[in-house]
Short mmCIF file of all heavy atoms in Angstrom, two decimals:
data_model
loop_
_atom_site.label_atom_id
_atom_site.label_comp_id
_atom_site.label_asym_id
_atom_site.label_seq_id
_atom_site.Cartn_x
_atom_site.Cartn_y
_atom_site.Cartn_z
N ASP A 10 95.80 -0.33 189.47
CA ASP A 10 95.74 -1.66 188.92
C ASP A 10 94.30 -2.09 188.73
O ASP A 10 94.06 -2.79 187.76
CB ASP A 10 96.52 -2.60 189.88
CG ASP A 10 98.08 -2.59 189.70
OD1 ASP A 10 98.35 -2.19 188.53
OD2 ASP A 10 98.84 -3.07 190.42
N GLN A 20 91.16 -18.88 178.35
CA GLN A 20 89.92 -19.55 179.01
C GLN A 20 90.08 -21.04 178.93
O GLN A 20 90.41 -21.59 177.91
CB GLN A 20 88.68 -19.08 178.29
CG GLN A 20 88.38 -17.55 178.55
CD GLN A 20 87.14 -17.14 177.79
OE1 GLN A 20 86.31 -17.95 177.55
NE2 GLN A 20 87.27 -15.96 177.29
N ARG A 28 79.44 -28.61 177.33
CA ARG A 28 79.28 -28.98 175.88
C ARG A 28 77.90 -29.52 175.66
O ARG A 28 77.50 -29.59 174.49
CB ARG A 28 80.37 -29.97 175.54
CG ARG A 28 81.61 -29.39 175.11
CD ARG A 28 82.73 -30.29 174.74
NE ARG A 28 83.92 -29.74 174.50
CZ ARG A 28 84.28 -29.25 173.43
NH1 ARG A 28 83.54 -29.18 172.37
NH2 ARG A 28 85.49 -28.64 173.29
N THR A 41 65.87 -15.39 183.66
CA THR A 41 64.62 -14.88 183.09
C THR A 41 63.40 -15.08 183.97
O THR A 41 62.47 -14.19 184.06
CB THR A 41 64.34 -15.40 181.59
OG1 THR A 41 64.49 -16.75 181.66
CG2 THR A 41 65.24 -14.71 180.63
N THR A 48 58.36 -9.15 187.97
CA THR A 48 57.35 -8.30 187.28
C THR A 48 55.87 -8.63 187.78
O THR A 48 55.02 -7.74 187.86
CB THR A 48 57.44 -8.47 185.71
OG1 THR A 48 58.86 -8.29 185.50
CG2 THR A 48 56.79 -7.28 185.08
N THR A 55 58.43 -0.10 184.38
CA THR A 55 58.14 0.92 183.45
C THR A 55 56.94 1.69 184.01
O THR A 55 56.27 1.28 184.97
CB THR A 55 57.69 0.34 182.08
OG1 THR A 55 56.52 -0.55 182.35
CG2 THR A 55 58.83 -0.35 181.44
N GLN A 57 53.35 3.92 182.75
CA GLN A 57 52.28 4.12 181.81
C GLN A 57 52.34 5.66 181.36
O GLN A 57 51.55 6.36 181.89
CB GLN A 57 50.88 3.60 182.22
CG GLN A 57 51.01 2.20 182.53
CD GLN A 57 51.37 1.25 181.45
OE1 GLN A 57 50.82 1.45 180.36
NE2 GLN A 57 52.39 0.44 181.68
N PHE B 45 56.81 -9.55 180.79
CA PHE B 45 57.17 -9.81 182.15
C PHE B 45 58.69 -10.12 182.20
O PHE B 45 59.34 -9.69 183.21
CB PHE B 45 56.30 -11.02 182.63
CG PHE B 45 54.74 -10.60 182.78
CD1 PHE B 45 53.90 -11.56 182.86
CD2 PHE B 45 54.57 -9.23 183.10
CE1 PHE B 45 52.59 -11.26 182.93
CE2 PHE B 45 53.21 -8.95 183.17
CZ PHE B 45 52.26 -9.88 183.10
N PRO B 50 55.10 -4.37 181.29
CA PRO B 50 53.86 -5.02 181.54
C PRO B 50 53.26 -5.73 180.22
O PRO B 50 52.36 -6.46 180.44
CB PRO B 50 52.80 -3.88 181.83
CG PRO B 50 53.52 -2.74 181.33
CD PRO B 50 54.97 -2.86 181.32
N ARG B 54 46.68 -2.17 176.63
CA ARG B 54 45.87 -0.98 176.35
C ARG B 54 44.43 -1.39 175.80
O ARG B 54 43.54 -0.62 176.06
CB ARG B 54 46.51 -0.29 175.12
CG ARG B 54 47.77 0.53 175.51
CD ARG B 54 47.45 1.77 176.22
NE ARG B 54 48.45 2.13 177.33
CZ ARG B 54 48.47 3.29 177.89
NH1 ARG B 54 47.75 4.11 177.62
NH2 ARG B 54 49.36 3.39 178.75
N THR B 322 64.75 -16.27 176.56
CA THR B 322 65.98 -16.61 177.32
C THR B 322 67.09 -16.70 176.32
O THR B 322 68.30 -16.14 176.51
CB THR B 322 65.91 -17.75 178.19
OG1 THR B 322 64.73 -17.65 179.06
CG2 THR B 322 67.12 -18.08 178.99
N ALA B 379 81.87 -35.96 175.05
CA ALA B 379 81.80 -34.50 175.02
C ALA B 379 82.98 -33.74 175.59
O ALA B 379 83.61 -32.91 175.14
CB ALA B 379 80.57 -33.98 175.45
N ARG B 389 85.02 -17.93 170.24
CA ARG B 389 85.54 -17.64 171.61
C ARG B 389 86.73 -16.66 171.49
O ARG B 389 87.43 -16.60 170.48
CB ARG B 389 85.93 -18.91 172.24
CG ARG B 389 84.76 -19.76 172.62
CD ARG B 389 85.15 -20.82 173.51
NE ARG B 389 85.11 -20.49 174.88
CZ ARG B 389 85.59 -21.13 175.96
NH1 ARG B 389 86.43 -22.07 175.56
NH2 ARG B 389 85.58 -20.72 177.21
N ARG B 406 100.95 3.63 182.19
CA ARG B 406 100.48 4.12 183.50
C ARG B 406 100.59 5.51 183.73
O ARG B 406 99.83 6.20 184.27
CB ARG B 406 101.16 3.23 184.63
CG ARG B 406 100.70 3.31 185.99
CD ARG B 406 101.53 2.43 186.89
NE ARG B 406 101.55 1.16 186.65
CZ ARG B 406 100.46 0.28 187.19
NH1 ARG B 406 99.55 0.74 187.93
NH2 ARG B 406 100.64 -1.01 186.95
#
Side-chain angles (χ1 to χ4, degrees):
Chain A
D10 273 341
Q20 291 174 33
R28 276 179 188 273
T41 43
T48 315
T55 54
Q57 298 300 308
Chain B
F45 290 154
R54 291 279 149 169
T322 302
R389 293 189 89 199
R406 194 181 293 274

